[in-house]
Each structure stands twice: as C-alpha cells, then as structure tokens.
Amino acid sequence: MPENARISGHRDWIDLEFVERERTPDPALALGIQSHVAGLSLSNTVGLLEDLNVQRSRKAIHDWVQKAELQPEAGQNPNHVMLDETVIRINDKQYWLYAAADPEANHLLHVRLFSTITTALTEMFLQELREKHDVKTAVFRVYGAQHLQTALRQVKLRFQIGRQGKLERCRTDFRRTQVPQLAVIDLLQPVEPESWLQAFACWRNATN
C-alpha cells in the first residue's frame, strides 16, 4: 500500500477520549493510530512521527491502538451478508479469521480470531454479529463450508451457497488485499491481535 494511502483521509473515526494526560498532540496521536492500523509497521510509524518532531516509542503506539478500542460501527441493517473464514499465522501460531461483510456497502460488519475452527465457535461469531447488527432478514452468502451452513441453520439465519457478482468480488478483495495486511500483527510485542483486528476493520470501513 502506498504511504500516502495510509496517512491520507479524515480521522474522525478515531475517538481520542481515551487519552488522559497524554503529552502527544491529538493530530500526531490520530496519525500514529491510523498509520499503524492501515498497515505501517510500528518502527515505520515511529519514523513517520519523528518527521513531525514527535518522539514516541513502538510500545507507545501499540498502546494507543489498544486503548482506543476501535471497532466497526454497530447498528447496520444489511440485505446480504458475506460470511467467510480463512487461516492466518501470527507469531508462528495458526488462527482462523472469521469475517462478516456487507457486500453492497463493502463494509466489514464483524471480525474475530479463533485458535481453532468448530461449529460452536461459528455459532458464537454469528450470535455476536446478531447482537451488533440487524441481520435477521439478511441473506447470508457462504462458499460451501459445511460448518458455516450448520451454524447458520442452528441460529436460524437464511443463507445461499455459491458465488455471485459483488459478493464474490468482496470476498476476493478481502482475501487478496486485507488478509495480507494482518501480517503487521506479527510486529506487536506483546501481541494482542484481536484489538488490532477490530481497529483495522474500523479503519477499513471509515476510509472505504
């Protein structure tokens, strides 16, 4: 991703109310959060802030992202939901990345990481999704994974199997351009991938 794509655009989606006695100016704080969430490494984010004469450590930037507690906005009412999962590796550990997206708005509705893949965990993900958004009348699009279909039946949500236009493009875009960016989690020490993932989804929706 080009550098200007990371640092351009509005930052209203970043709520800085978490800041208490923070000596960093708000514009630099927001820029640091946005740049790292958008895929810039901690070290490079430090360098970016140094160019603005703001000296902060990798840990400070990491803590900003965690404390901001950024998440995709709740209360959406999509007509369709693309449900997908894929495996990623973080610090040599394997995780399953679950994502629910509105293909018409091209927004991520809910994202989660699990250390394994089961129907019960898929049901948990769907229950969390239903608590955040009105999806009771939405049609879910799935791609043949049996545990996804079983979980959708269990929680009584409608679904269709197959690929179709925007839905497939949304899935392809997520897997090709969004999942690789999650490699930046590997740079967090100590790693807290779930918080970073939620912040990433918030950034992606706000700058889409």
Side-chain angles (χ1 to χ4, degrees):
M1 178 188 299
E3 296 301 314
N4 61 353
R6 293 194 180 100
I7 65 177
S8 63
H10 70 89
R11 302 184 183 100
D12 298 343
W13 53 276
I14 303 174
D15 184 355
L16 297 179
E17 289 186 3
F18 72 90
V19 178
E20 295 181 6
R21 297 183 299 277
E22 173 60 55
R23 60 193 177 96
T24 308
D26 283 0
L29 190 71
L31 175 63
I33 292 173
Q34 175 173 327
S35 300
H36 182 50
V37 167
L40 201 64
S41 71
L42 286 169
S43 295
N44 287 338
T45 304
V46 167
L48 177 65
L49 294 179
E50 286 177 347
D51 290 341
L52 302 177
N53 295 318
V54 176
Q55 308 290 326
R56 296 296 180 270
S57 67
R58 288 162 47 100
K59 183 179 185 304
I61 297 165
H62 167 265
D63 290 346
W64 294 347
V65 175
Q66 305 301 318
K67 291 177 181 177
E69 297 183 342
L70 297 165
Q71 296 188 26
E73 184 179 355
Q76 304 302 308
N77 183 21
N79 294 318
H80 298 88
V81 176
M82 185 198 72
L83 181 64
D84 200 10
E85 36 77 8
T86 189
V87 67
I88 63 173
R89 299 194 69 81
I90 303 170
N91 289 343
D92 296 325
K93 289 187 64 177
Q94 178 173 289
Y95 291 87
W96 285 94
L97 168 63
Y98 277 71
D102 178 347
E104 288 153 2
N106 199 22
H107 278 182
L108 290 169
L109 300 170
H110 188 42
V111 286
R112 284 279 263 123
L113 290 175
F114 295 110
S115 58
T116 187
I117 184 168
T118 66
T119 300
L121 288 176
T122 307
E123 288 182 39
M124 180 191 302
F125 177 84
L126 292 171
Q127 293 288 7
E128 292 173 352
L129 176 66
R130 291 206 302 189
E131 291 171 5
K132 288 186 173 184
H133 304 288
D134 182 2
V135 296
K136 59 181 179 294
T137 61
V139 177
F140 283 71
R141 178 74 61 173
V142 294
Y143 293 83
Q146 190 60 51
H147 63 281
L148 297 182
Q149 298 173 44
T150 301
L152 285 163
R153 289 192 187 96
Q154 290 289 96
V155 298
K156 296 179 171 54
L157 290 170
R158 295 189 299 160
F159 68 92
Q160 295 177 351
I161 304 170
R163 308 182 177 198
Q164 180 179 344
K166 262 188 188 178
L167 294 160
E168 175 60 13
R169 288 196 297 273
C170 184
R171 179 183 194 239
T172 300
D173 173 70
F174 181 74
R175 287 198 164 187
R176 185 183 67 245
T177 65
Q178 310 306 330
V179 172
Q181 291 183 38
L182 296 174
V184 77
I185 297 175
D186 190 53
L187 302 174
L188 301 181
Q189 298 294 337
V191 64
E192 297 175 39
E194 189 69 52
S195 295
W196 188 92
L197 178 64
Q198 298 297 332
F200 169 84
C202 183
W203 163 79
R204 183 183 181 277
N205 290 351
T207 57
N208 180 40

Short mmCIF file of all heavy atoms in Angstrom, two decimals, residues 114-175:
data_model
loop_
_atom_site.label_atom_id
_atom_site.label_comp_id
_atom_site.label_asym_id
_atom_site.label_seq_id
_atom_site.Cartn_x
_atom_site.Cartn_y
_atom_site.Cartn_z
N PHE A 114 -10.05 -16.95 16.02
CA PHE A 114 -10.18 -18.12 16.88
C PHE A 114 -8.97 -19.02 16.65
O PHE A 114 -8.44 -19.08 15.54
CB PHE A 114 -11.46 -18.89 16.58
CG PHE A 114 -12.72 -18.13 16.88
CD1 PHE A 114 -13.54 -17.68 15.86
CD2 PHE A 114 -13.10 -17.87 18.19
CE1 PHE A 114 -14.70 -16.98 16.13
CE2 PHE A 114 -14.28 -17.17 18.47
CZ PHE A 114 -15.07 -16.72 17.44
N SER A 115 -8.57 -19.73 17.69
CA SER A 115 -7.41 -20.61 17.57
C SER A 115 -7.75 -21.94 16.91
O SER A 115 -6.85 -22.71 16.56
CB SER A 115 -6.78 -20.85 18.94
OG SER A 115 -7.74 -21.43 19.82
N THR A 116 -9.04 -22.22 16.77
CA THR A 116 -9.47 -23.44 16.09
C THR A 116 -10.76 -23.13 15.35
O THR A 116 -11.25 -22.02 15.39
CB THR A 116 -9.68 -24.58 17.10
OG1 THR A 116 -9.93 -25.80 16.39
CG2 THR A 116 -10.83 -24.28 18.04
N ILE A 117 -11.28 -24.13 14.67
CA ILE A 117 -12.50 -23.92 13.89
C ILE A 117 -13.50 -25.01 14.24
O ILE A 117 -13.22 -26.20 14.09
CB ILE A 117 -12.18 -23.91 12.37
CG1 ILE A 117 -13.42 -23.60 11.56
CG2 ILE A 117 -11.49 -25.17 11.92
CD1 ILE A 117 -13.12 -23.30 10.11
N THR A 118 -14.66 -24.61 14.76
CA THR A 118 -15.71 -25.54 15.13
C THR A 118 -17.06 -24.90 14.82
O THR A 118 -17.17 -23.67 14.68
CB THR A 118 -15.68 -25.89 16.63
OG1 THR A 118 -15.99 -24.72 17.39
CG2 THR A 118 -14.32 -26.44 17.05
N THR A 119 -18.09 -25.72 14.75
CA THR A 119 -19.44 -25.19 14.55
C THR A 119 -19.86 -24.32 15.72
O THR A 119 -20.50 -23.29 15.55
CB THR A 119 -20.44 -26.34 14.35
OG1 THR A 119 -20.06 -27.11 13.20
CG2 THR A 119 -21.85 -25.81 14.13
N ALA A 120 -19.48 -24.72 16.95
CA ALA A 120 -19.85 -23.95 18.14
C ALA A 120 -19.25 -22.54 18.10
O ALA A 120 -19.92 -21.56 18.44
CB ALA A 120 -19.40 -24.68 19.39
N LEU A 121 -17.99 -22.43 17.67
CA LEU A 121 -17.36 -21.12 17.58
C LEU A 121 -17.99 -20.29 16.47
O LEU A 121 -18.14 -19.06 16.59
CB LEU A 121 -15.86 -21.27 17.34
CG LEU A 121 -15.03 -21.76 18.54
CD1 LEU A 121 -13.57 -21.96 18.14
CD2 LEU A 121 -15.13 -20.78 19.71
N THR A 122 -18.37 -20.95 15.39
CA THR A 122 -19.06 -20.24 14.31
C THR A 122 -20.40 -19.70 14.80
O THR A 122 -20.78 -18.56 14.48
CB THR A 122 -19.28 -21.17 13.10
OG1 THR A 122 -18.03 -21.76 12.72
CG2 THR A 122 -19.85 -20.40 11.93
N GLU A 123 -21.13 -20.49 15.60
CA GLU A 123 -22.38 -20.02 16.18
C GLU A 123 -22.13 -18.83 17.10
O GLU A 123 -22.90 -17.85 17.11
CB GLU A 123 -23.06 -21.14 16.96
CG GLU A 123 -23.66 -22.23 16.09
CD GLU A 123 -24.36 -23.29 16.92
OE1 GLU A 123 -25.02 -22.91 17.92
OE2 GLU A 123 -24.25 -24.48 16.58
N MET A 124 -21.04 -18.86 17.88
CA MET A 124 -20.69 -17.75 18.75
C MET A 124 -20.46 -16.48 17.93
O MET A 124 -20.93 -15.40 18.28
CB MET A 124 -19.43 -18.07 19.56
CG MET A 124 -18.99 -16.95 20.50
SD MET A 124 -17.34 -17.24 21.21
CE MET A 124 -17.60 -18.81 22.02
N PHE A 125 -19.73 -16.63 16.83
CA PHE A 125 -19.46 -15.50 15.95
C PHE A 125 -20.77 -14.92 15.42
O PHE A 125 -20.97 -13.69 15.41
CB PHE A 125 -18.58 -15.95 14.79
CG PHE A 125 -18.30 -14.87 13.78
CD1 PHE A 125 -17.28 -13.96 13.97
CD2 PHE A 125 -19.06 -14.78 12.62
CE1 PHE A 125 -17.03 -12.96 13.04
CE2 PHE A 125 -18.83 -13.78 11.68
CZ PHE A 125 -17.80 -12.87 11.90
N LEU A 126 -21.69 -15.78 15.00
CA LEU A 126 -22.97 -15.32 14.46
C LEU A 126 -23.83 -14.66 15.54
O LEU A 126 -24.54 -13.68 15.26
CB LEU A 126 -23.71 -16.49 13.82
CG LEU A 126 -23.07 -17.06 12.55
CD1 LEU A 126 -23.77 -18.35 12.13
CD2 LEU A 126 -23.12 -16.04 11.41
N GLN A 127 -23.78 -15.18 16.75
CA GLN A 127 -24.54 -14.56 17.83
C GLN A 127 -23.99 -13.16 18.12
O GLN A 127 -24.76 -12.21 18.36
CB GLN A 127 -24.45 -15.43 19.10
CG GLN A 127 -25.15 -16.78 19.00
CD GLN A 127 -26.68 -16.66 19.01
OE1 GLN A 127 -27.24 -15.56 18.96
NE2 GLN A 127 -27.36 -17.80 19.05
N GLU A 128 -22.67 -13.01 18.12
CA GLU A 128 -22.07 -11.69 18.31
C GLU A 128 -22.48 -10.75 17.19
O GLU A 128 -22.77 -9.56 17.42
CB GLU A 128 -20.55 -11.81 18.36
CG GLU A 128 -20.02 -12.53 19.58
CD GLU A 128 -18.52 -12.78 19.51
OE1 GLU A 128 -17.91 -12.52 18.44
OE2 GLU A 128 -17.95 -13.23 20.52
N LEU A 129 -22.51 -11.26 15.97
CA LEU A 129 -22.93 -10.46 14.82
C LEU A 129 -24.37 -9.98 15.00
O LEU A 129 -24.69 -8.81 14.73
CB LEU A 129 -22.79 -11.29 13.54
CG LEU A 129 -23.27 -10.63 12.24
CD1 LEU A 129 -22.40 -9.42 11.88
CD2 LEU A 129 -23.26 -11.65 11.10
N ARG A 130 -25.25 -10.87 15.46
CA ARG A 130 -26.66 -10.50 15.65
C ARG A 130 -26.84 -9.48 16.77
O ARG A 130 -27.76 -8.67 16.73
CB ARG A 130 -27.49 -11.75 15.96
CG ARG A 130 -27.61 -12.68 14.78
CD ARG A 130 -28.86 -13.53 14.84
NE ARG A 130 -28.92 -14.35 16.06
CZ ARG A 130 -29.84 -15.29 16.23
NH1 ARG A 130 -30.74 -15.54 15.30
NH2 ARG A 130 -29.85 -16.00 17.34
N GLU A 131 -25.96 -9.52 17.77
CA GLU A 131 -26.04 -8.52 18.84
C GLU A 131 -25.63 -7.14 18.35
O GLU A 131 -26.10 -6.12 18.87
CB GLU A 131 -25.15 -8.95 20.01
CG GLU A 131 -25.66 -10.17 20.76
CD GLU A 131 -24.66 -10.69 21.77
OE1 GLU A 131 -23.61 -10.02 21.95
OE2 GLU A 131 -24.91 -11.74 22.38
N LYS A 132 -24.75 -7.10 17.34
CA LYS A 132 -24.25 -5.82 16.83
C LYS A 132 -25.11 -5.24 15.72
O LYS A 132 -25.22 -4.02 15.59
CB LYS A 132 -22.82 -6.00 16.30
CG LYS A 132 -21.77 -6.21 17.36
CD LYS A 132 -20.39 -6.24 16.71
CE LYS A 132 -19.29 -6.27 17.77
NZ LYS A 132 -17.94 -6.19 17.15
N HIS A 133 -25.70 -6.11 14.90
CA HIS A 133 -26.40 -5.64 13.70
C HIS A 133 -27.74 -6.36 13.54
O HIS A 133 -27.94 -7.46 14.06
CB HIS A 133 -25.54 -5.90 12.46
CG HIS A 133 -24.18 -5.30 12.53
ND1 HIS A 133 -23.94 -3.96 12.43
CD2 HIS A 133 -22.95 -5.89 12.71
CE1 HIS A 133 -22.63 -3.72 12.52
NE2 HIS A 133 -22.02 -4.87 12.70
N ASP A 134 -28.63 -5.74 12.79
CA ASP A 134 -29.93 -6.33 12.48
C ASP A 134 -29.78 -7.18 11.22
O ASP A 134 -29.85 -6.68 10.10
CB ASP A 134 -30.97 -5.24 12.26
CG ASP A 134 -32.36 -5.80 12.00
OD1 ASP A 134 -32.52 -7.04 12.02
OD2 ASP A 134 -33.28 -5.00 11.75
N VAL A 135 -29.54 -8.47 11.41
CA VAL A 135 -29.31 -9.37 10.27
C VAL A 135 -30.38 -10.46 10.18
O VAL A 135 -30.22 -11.41 9.42
CB VAL A 135 -27.91 -10.02 10.35
CG1 VAL A 135 -26.82 -8.97 10.22
CG2 VAL A 135 -27.74 -10.81 11.65
N LYS A 136 -31.46 -10.30 10.94
CA LYS A 136 -32.45 -11.40 10.98
C LYS A 136 -33.15 -11.63 9.65
O LYS A 136 -33.60 -12.73 9.36
CB LYS A 136 -33.48 -11.13 12.08
CG LYS A 136 -34.29 -9.86 11.95
CD LYS A 136 -35.26 -9.73 13.12
CE LYS A 136 -36.06 -8.44 13.05
NZ LYS A 136 -35.20 -7.25 13.23
N THR A 137 -33.21 -10.59 8.80
CA THR A 137 -33.84 -10.77 7.48
C THR A 137 -32.80 -10.82 6.36
O THR A 137 -33.17 -10.93 5.19
CB THR A 137 -34.84 -9.64 7.19
OG1 THR A 137 -34.15 -8.38 7.18
CG2 THR A 137 -35.94 -9.62 8.24
N ALA A 138 -31.53 -10.70 6.69
CA ALA A 138 -30.47 -10.71 5.68
C ALA A 138 -30.29 -12.11 5.11
O ALA A 138 -30.56 -13.12 5.78
CB ALA A 138 -29.16 -10.22 6.27
N VAL A 139 -29.83 -12.17 3.87
CA VAL A 139 -29.47 -13.45 3.25
C VAL A 139 -27.95 -13.57 3.30
O VAL A 139 -27.23 -12.72 2.79
CB VAL A 139 -29.94 -13.52 1.79
CG1 VAL A 139 -29.47 -14.82 1.14
CG2 VAL A 139 -31.46 -13.40 1.72
N PHE A 140 -27.48 -14.62 3.96
CA PHE A 140 -26.04 -14.85 4.08
C PHE A 140 -25.55 -15.62 2.85
O PHE A 140 -26.21 -16.55 2.38
CB PHE A 140 -25.73 -15.65 5.34
CG PHE A 140 -25.78 -14.83 6.60
CD1 PHE A 140 -27.00 -14.37 7.10
CD2 PHE A 140 -24.63 -14.50 7.27
CE1 PHE A 140 -27.05 -13.61 8.25
CE2 PHE A 140 -24.67 -13.74 8.43
CZ PHE A 140 -25.88 -13.29 8.91
N ARG A 141 -24.40 -15.25 2.37
CA ARG A 141 -23.76 -15.94 1.25
C ARG A 141 -22.56 -16.71 1.80
O ARG A 141 -21.68 -16.13 2.43
CB ARG A 141 -23.31 -14.94 0.19
CG ARG A 141 -22.59 -15.55 -0.99
CD ARG A 141 -23.54 -16.28 -1.91
NE ARG A 141 -24.55 -15.39 -2.47
CZ ARG A 141 -25.40 -15.78 -3.42
NH1 ARG A 141 -25.37 -17.03 -3.88
NH2 ARG A 141 -26.30 -14.93 -3.88
N VAL A 142 -22.55 -18.01 1.61
CA VAL A 142 -21.44 -18.85 2.06
C VAL A 142 -20.89 -19.63 0.88
O VAL A 142 -21.54 -19.73 -0.16
CB VAL A 142 -21.87 -19.80 3.21
CG1 VAL A 142 -22.23 -19.03 4.44
CG2 VAL A 142 -23.02 -20.67 2.77
N TYR A 143 -19.73 -20.22 1.09
CA TYR A 143 -19.00 -20.79 -0.05
C TYR A 143 -18.72 -22.28 0.13
O TYR A 143 -17.65 -22.75 -0.20
CB TYR A 143 -17.69 -20.01 -0.25
CG TYR A 143 -17.99 -18.60 -0.70
CD1 TYR A 143 -18.29 -17.62 0.23
CD2 TYR A 143 -18.01 -18.26 -2.05
CE1 TYR A 143 -18.59 -16.34 -0.18
CE2 TYR A 143 -18.32 -16.99 -2.46
CZ TYR A 143 -18.61 -16.03 -1.53
OH TYR A 143 -18.92 -14.75 -1.93
N GLY A 144 -19.69 -22.97 0.68
CA GLY A 144 -19.59 -24.43 0.68
C GLY A 144 -19.10 -25.05 1.97
O GLY A 144 -19.22 -26.25 2.15
N ALA A 145 -18.51 -24.26 2.90
CA ALA A 145 -18.01 -24.83 4.15
C ALA A 145 -19.18 -25.34 4.99
O ALA A 145 -20.08 -24.59 5.34
CB ALA A 145 -17.22 -23.78 4.92
N GLN A 146 -19.14 -26.63 5.32
CA GLN A 146 -20.28 -27.25 5.99
C GLN A 146 -20.52 -26.66 7.37
O GLN A 146 -21.68 -26.48 7.79
CB GLN A 146 -20.05 -28.76 6.11
CG GLN A 146 -21.27 -29.53 6.57
CD GLN A 146 -22.46 -29.36 5.62
OE1 GLN A 146 -22.33 -29.54 4.42
NE2 GLN A 146 -23.62 -28.98 6.17
N HIS A 147 -19.47 -26.35 8.12
CA HIS A 147 -19.67 -25.82 9.48
C HIS A 147 -20.35 -24.46 9.45
O HIS A 147 -21.10 -24.12 10.37
CB HIS A 147 -18.34 -25.75 10.24
CG HIS A 147 -17.35 -24.81 9.64
ND1 HIS A 147 -16.58 -25.13 8.56
CD2 HIS A 147 -17.02 -23.54 9.97
CE1 HIS A 147 -15.81 -24.12 8.24
NE2 HIS A 147 -16.06 -23.13 9.06
N LEU A 148 -20.11 -23.67 8.40
CA LEU A 148 -20.79 -22.38 8.27
C LEU A 148 -22.29 -22.61 8.04
O LEU A 148 -23.13 -21.94 8.65
CB LEU A 148 -20.20 -21.57 7.12
CG LEU A 148 -18.73 -21.15 7.24
CD1 LEU A 148 -18.32 -20.30 6.03
CD2 LEU A 148 -18.48 -20.37 8.53
N GLN A 149 -22.61 -23.54 7.16
CA GLN A 149 -24.02 -23.83 6.87
C GLN A 149 -24.73 -24.37 8.10
O GLN A 149 -25.86 -23.97 8.41
CB GLN A 149 -24.10 -24.83 5.72
CG GLN A 149 -23.50 -24.34 4.41
CD GLN A 149 -23.47 -25.42 3.36
OE1 GLN A 149 -24.44 -26.15 3.18
NE2 GLN A 149 -22.36 -25.54 2.65
N THR A 150 -24.07 -25.27 8.82
CA THR A 150 -24.68 -25.87 10.01
C THR A 150 -24.95 -24.80 11.07
O THR A 150 -26.02 -24.77 11.69
CB THR A 150 -23.76 -26.95 10.59
OG1 THR A 150 -23.54 -27.97 9.61
CG2 THR A 150 -24.37 -27.57 11.85
N ALA A 151 -23.97 -23.92 11.29
CA ALA A 151 -24.13 -22.87 12.29
C ALA A 151 -25.25 -21.91 11.91
O ALA A 151 -26.03 -21.49 12.77
CB ALA A 151 -22.81 -22.11 12.45
N LEU A 152 -25.36 -21.56 10.63
CA LEU A 152 -26.43 -20.67 10.19
C LEU A 152 -27.80 -21.31 10.41
O LEU A 152 -28.76 -20.64 10.81
CB LEU A 152 -26.23 -20.32 8.71
CG LEU A 152 -25.11 -19.31 8.42
CD1 LEU A 152 -24.71 -19.33 6.95
CD2 LEU A 152 -25.55 -17.90 8.83
N ARG A 153 -27.90 -22.61 10.16
CA ARG A 153 -29.16 -23.31 10.42
C ARG A 153 -29.48 -23.29 11.93
O ARG A 153 -30.63 -23.08 12.32
CB ARG A 153 -29.08 -24.75 9.94
CG ARG A 153 -29.08 -24.91 8.43
CD ARG A 153 -29.28 -26.36 8.03
NE ARG A 153 -29.13 -26.55 6.61
CZ ARG A 153 -27.99 -26.96 6.03
NH1 ARG A 153 -26.92 -27.24 6.78
NH2 ARG A 153 -27.92 -27.11 4.72
N GLN A 154 -28.46 -23.51 12.74
CA GLN A 154 -28.66 -23.58 14.18
C GLN A 154 -29.19 -22.26 14.74
O GLN A 154 -30.01 -22.26 15.66
CB GLN A 154 -27.34 -23.94 14.89
CG GLN A 154 -26.87 -25.36 14.66
CD GLN A 154 -27.74 -26.36 15.39
OE1 GLN A 154 -28.66 -26.94 14.81
NE2 GLN A 154 -27.47 -26.56 16.67
N VAL A 155 -28.70 -21.14 14.22
CA VAL A 155 -29.14 -19.84 14.74
C VAL A 155 -30.28 -19.25 13.90
O VAL A 155 -30.67 -18.10 14.08
CB VAL A 155 -27.96 -18.85 14.83
CG1 VAL A 155 -26.91 -19.35 15.80
CG2 VAL A 155 -27.34 -18.59 13.46
N LYS A 156 -30.78 -20.07 12.95
CA LYS A 156 -31.97 -19.71 12.16
C LYS A 156 -31.77 -18.44 11.33
O LYS A 156 -32.60 -17.53 11.35
CB LYS A 156 -33.18 -19.58 13.08
CG LYS A 156 -33.57 -20.89 13.75
CD LYS A 156 -34.75 -20.71 14.67
CE LYS A 156 -35.28 -22.05 15.17
NZ LYS A 156 -34.28 -22.89 15.82
N LEU A 157 -30.67 -18.42 10.60
CA LEU A 157 -30.41 -17.33 9.66
C LEU A 157 -30.44 -17.89 8.24
O LEU A 157 -29.98 -19.01 7.99
CB LEU A 157 -29.04 -16.69 9.94
CG LEU A 157 -28.95 -15.87 11.24
CD1 LEU A 157 -27.51 -15.49 11.54
CD2 LEU A 157 -29.84 -14.63 11.16
N ARG A 158 -30.99 -17.12 7.31
CA ARG A 158 -31.12 -17.57 5.92
C ARG A 158 -29.76 -17.49 5.21
O ARG A 158 -28.97 -16.58 5.45
CB ARG A 158 -32.12 -16.70 5.18
CG ARG A 158 -33.55 -16.80 5.68
CD ARG A 158 -34.49 -16.08 4.75
NE ARG A 158 -34.18 -14.65 4.63
CZ ARG A 158 -34.57 -13.88 3.62
NH1 ARG A 158 -35.27 -14.39 2.63
NH2 ARG A 158 -34.27 -12.60 3.61
N PHE A 159 -29.53 -18.44 4.31
CA PHE A 159 -28.27 -18.40 3.57
C PHE A 159 -28.45 -19.04 2.20
O PHE A 159 -29.37 -19.82 1.95
CB PHE A 159 -27.15 -19.10 4.34
CG PHE A 159 -27.31 -20.59 4.49
CD1 PHE A 159 -26.75 -21.46 3.56
CD2 PHE A 159 -28.01 -21.12 5.57
CE1 PHE A 159 -26.89 -22.83 3.70
CE2 PHE A 159 -28.14 -22.49 5.72
CZ PHE A 159 -27.59 -23.35 4.78
N GLN A 160 -27.53 -18.68 1.32
CA GLN A 160 -27.43 -19.27 -0.01
C GLN A 160 -25.98 -19.68 -0.24
O GLN A 160 -25.06 -19.07 0.30
CB GLN A 160 -27.86 -18.27 -1.09
CG GLN A 160 -29.32 -17.88 -1.01
CD GLN A 160 -29.69 -16.82 -2.05
OE1 GLN A 160 -28.84 -16.27 -2.71
NE2 GLN A 160 -30.98 -16.54 -2.16
N ILE A 161 -25.80 -20.69 -1.06
CA ILE A 161 -24.45 -21.19 -1.37
C ILE A 161 -24.10 -20.80 -2.79
O ILE A 161 -24.93 -20.91 -3.69
CB ILE A 161 -24.38 -22.71 -1.21
CG1 ILE A 161 -24.81 -23.11 0.21
CG2 ILE A 161 -22.98 -23.22 -1.50
CD1 ILE A 161 -25.01 -24.60 0.38
N GLY A 162 -22.88 -20.35 -2.99
CA GLY A 162 -22.44 -20.06 -4.34
C GLY A 162 -21.79 -18.71 -4.46
O GLY A 162 -21.55 -18.02 -3.48
N ARG A 163 -21.49 -18.34 -5.70
CA ARG A 163 -20.77 -17.11 -5.97
C ARG A 163 -21.60 -16.24 -6.90
O ARG A 163 -22.21 -16.72 -7.83
CB ARG A 163 -19.42 -17.42 -6.60
CG ARG A 163 -18.64 -18.43 -5.79
CD ARG A 163 -17.29 -18.71 -6.39
NE ARG A 163 -16.56 -19.62 -5.55
CZ ARG A 163 -15.26 -19.80 -5.60
NH1 ARG A 163 -14.54 -19.14 -6.47
NH2 ARG A 163 -14.65 -20.65 -4.78
N GLN A 164 -21.58 -14.95 -6.62
CA GLN A 164 -22.41 -14.08 -7.43
C GLN A 164 -21.88 -12.65 -7.38
O GLN A 164 -21.87 -12.02 -6.34
CB GLN A 164 -23.86 -14.10 -6.92
CG GLN A 164 -24.80 -13.20 -7.72
CD GLN A 164 -26.21 -13.28 -7.20
OE1 GLN A 164 -26.57 -14.19 -6.48
NE2 GLN A 164 -27.02 -12.32 -7.55
N GLY A 165 -21.44 -12.13 -8.51
CA GLY A 165 -21.12 -10.73 -8.71
C GLY A 165 -20.37 -10.07 -7.58
O GLY A 165 -19.27 -10.44 -7.23
N LYS A 166 -21.03 -9.05 -6.97
CA LYS A 166 -20.43 -8.24 -5.92
C LYS A 166 -19.96 -9.08 -4.75
O LYS A 166 -18.96 -8.80 -4.12
CB LYS A 166 -21.44 -7.22 -5.41
CG LYS A 166 -21.30 -5.85 -6.00
CD LYS A 166 -22.24 -4.93 -5.25
CE LYS A 166 -22.28 -3.57 -5.94
NZ LYS A 166 -23.22 -2.66 -5.27
N LEU A 167 -20.75 -10.10 -4.42
CA LEU A 167 -20.40 -10.94 -3.29
C LEU A 167 -19.05 -11.59 -3.48
O LEU A 167 -18.20 -11.60 -2.61
CB LEU A 167 -21.49 -12.00 -3.09
CG LEU A 167 -22.85 -11.46 -2.67
CD1 LEU A 167 -23.93 -12.49 -2.96
CD2 LEU A 167 -22.84 -11.10 -1.20
N GLU A 168 -18.82 -12.13 -4.67
CA GLU A 168 -17.55 -12.77 -4.94
C GLU A 168 -16.42 -11.74 -5.00
O GLU A 168 -15.32 -11.99 -4.51
CB GLU A 168 -17.62 -13.55 -6.26
CG GLU A 168 -16.29 -14.16 -6.69
CD GLU A 168 -15.73 -15.15 -5.69
OE1 GLU A 168 -16.45 -15.55 -4.76
OE2 GLU A 168 -14.55 -15.50 -5.84
N ARG A 169 -16.70 -10.57 -5.56
CA ARG A 169 -15.65 -9.53 -5.63
C ARG A 169 -15.26 -9.06 -4.23
O ARG A 169 -14.09 -8.81 -3.96
CB ARG A 169 -16.14 -8.35 -6.47
CG ARG A 169 -16.20 -8.67 -7.97
CD ARG A 169 -16.31 -7.39 -8.79
NE ARG A 169 -17.53 -6.65 -8.51
CZ ARG A 169 -18.68 -6.88 -9.12
NH1 ARG A 169 -18.78 -7.84 -10.04
NH2 ARG A 169 -19.75 -6.15 -8.83
N CYS A 170 -16.25 -8.95 -3.35
CA CYS A 170 -15.97 -8.54 -1.98
C CYS A 170 -15.08 -9.57 -1.28
O CYS A 170 -14.13 -9.23 -0.60
CB CYS A 170 -17.27 -8.36 -1.21
SG CYS A 170 -17.08 -7.73 0.47
N ARG A 171 -15.41 -10.83 -1.48
CA ARG A 171 -14.61 -11.90 -0.87
C ARG A 171 -13.20 -11.90 -1.42
O ARG A 171 -12.21 -12.01 -0.67
CB ARG A 171 -15.28 -13.25 -1.14
CG ARG A 171 -14.53 -14.44 -0.55
CD ARG A 171 -15.23 -15.72 -0.95
NE ARG A 171 -14.76 -16.84 -0.18
CZ ARG A 171 -14.21 -17.93 -0.71
NH1 ARG A 171 -14.01 -18.00 -2.01
NH2 ARG A 171 -13.84 -18.94 0.05
N THR A 172 -13.07 -11.77 -2.73
CA THR A 172 -11.76 -11.75 -3.37
C THR A 172 -10.93 -10.58 -2.87
O THR A 172 -9.75 -10.71 -2.57
CB THR A 172 -11.90 -11.69 -4.90
OG1 THR A 172 -12.64 -12.83 -5.33
CG2 THR A 172 -10.54 -11.66 -5.57
N ASP A 173 -11.58 -9.40 -2.76
CA ASP A 173 -10.88 -8.22 -2.29
C ASP A 173 -10.38 -8.42 -0.87
O ASP A 173 -9.24 -8.08 -0.54
CB ASP A 173 -11.82 -7.01 -2.33
CG ASP A 173 -11.22 -5.78 -1.68
OD1 ASP A 173 -10.27 -5.23 -2.27
OD2 ASP A 173 -11.67 -5.37 -0.61
N PHE A 174 -11.21 -9.00 -0.01
CA PHE A 174 -10.81 -9.21 1.37
C PHE A 174 -9.61 -10.15 1.46
O PHE A 174 -8.64 -9.89 2.16
CB PHE A 174 -11.98 -9.76 2.18
CG PHE A 174 -11.64 -9.98 3.63
CD1 PHE A 174 -11.52 -8.91 4.49
CD2 PHE A 174 -11.44 -11.26 4.13
CE1 PHE A 174 -11.20 -9.10 5.82
CE2 PHE A 174 -11.14 -11.45 5.46
CZ PHE A 174 -11.01 -10.38 6.30
N ARG A 175 -9.68 -11.24 0.72
CA ARG A 175 -8.60 -12.23 0.82
C ARG A 175 -7.30 -11.75 0.16
O ARG A 175 -6.21 -12.06 0.62
CB ARG A 175 -9.05 -13.54 0.19
CG ARG A 175 -10.06 -14.28 1.05
CD ARG A 175 -10.18 -15.72 0.68
NE ARG A 175 -10.85 -16.47 1.73
CZ ARG A 175 -10.97 -17.79 1.74
NH1 ARG A 175 -10.46 -18.49 0.74
NH2 ARG A 175 -11.58 -18.42 2.71
#
